[in-house]
Amino acid sequence: MRSADDLTARARIRDAALVRFGADGVAGTSVRAVAADADVSAALVLHHFGSKDGLRQACDDHVLGLIRSGSAGEVEHEALAELLAEATPLRRYLARALLDGSPAANTMFSEIVDATRRWLAEGEAQGWVKPTEDPLARAVTYVSWLFAPLVLGEQVGRLLGGDVAEMRTSVRAARVGLDMLTNGLFADDRWLKAFSSVT
């Protein structure tokens, strides 16, 4: 059995890897760099995780666990909102994972879309979300909008004057996005009609 100190070291290594992978990507991160950040030896990293791929898998599993921490509907969405609002390293990691691509990243995105689709359906039933003829496309688009500032972080941050993974800039962008979703952007339906006429 592992000691409490051993388990703490494992979590510390994983958290250091989340930060490094989020900032530099998996390809740009070495086991030695993670070990130095966690203040442990590279041998201990390999002892716990076997390889850099094993370490990445542990990070993926951790983030997926946070995404799955809710049970259904609004609870799931609140868990995701907490993840995105309060955990800057996790936000960066998730954005980088989606950019780099992996089976785990595909699973993460799909599960976030599924949770969001259920959340929006619940909103329809309660009357605070407008109905749609295409709930899947709505959920995919909503989640895509949610992650776009993170994926385009350098460009968005450059124009908004801050790191989009940090709360201040993130809230600024989110507030404007919610205003657009709540109050609308266009004064008439010309663009909706134009796109609706395309077959």
Side-chain angles (χ1 to χ4, degrees), residues 63 67 80-81 83-84 90-99 105 108-113 116 139-153 156 164:
V63 175
I67 292 168
L80 174 60
L83 165 68
L84 295 177
L90 294 176
R91 288 162 55 83
R92 289 196 180 108
Y93 179 84
L94 192 49
R96 177 68 74 159
L98 292 171
L99 275 175
M108 288 183 216
F109 190 81
S110 295
E111 291 197 13
I112 293 168
V113 167
T116 299
V140 170
T141 301
Y142 181 88
V143 172
S144 299
W145 285 350
L146 184 70
F147 285 117
L150 286 174
V151 174
L152 298 171
V156 174
V164 294

Side-chain angles (χ1 to χ4, degrees), residues 29-37 40-43 45-46 51-53 55:
T29 297
S30 69
V31 169
R32 289 186 181 277
V34 173
D37 291 346
V40 300
S41 68
V45 175
L46 296 176
S51 65
K52 186 167 72 170
D53 286 340
L55 183 55

Side-chain angles (χ1 to χ4, degrees), residues 116-137:
T116 299
R117 184 175 180 177
R118 290 191 294 272
W119 174 66
L120 291 170
E122 183 179 331
E124 275 193 35
Q126 295 176 358
W128 51 270
V129 172
K130 293 181 179 179
T132 182
E133 295 179 358
D134 195 343
L136 175 60

Side-chain angles (χ1 to χ4, degrees), residues 38-95:
D39 196 26
V40 300
S41 68
L44 187 61
V45 175
L46 296 176
H47 166 73
H48 281 298
F49 300 99
S51 65
K52 186 167 72 170
D53 286 340
L55 183 55
R56 178 186 184 167
Q57 185 63 54
C59 291
D60 287 345
D61 292 344
H62 179 64
V63 175
L64 274 170
L66 291 172
I67 292 168
R68 294 167 177 166
S69 62
S71 56
E74 188 171 351
V75 175
E76 286 178 343
H77 192 270
E78 287 173 355
L80 174 60
E82 183 177 349
L83 165 68
L84 295 177
E86 297 181 3
T88 297
L90 294 176
R91 288 162 55 83
R92 289 196 180 108
Y93 179 84
L94 192 49

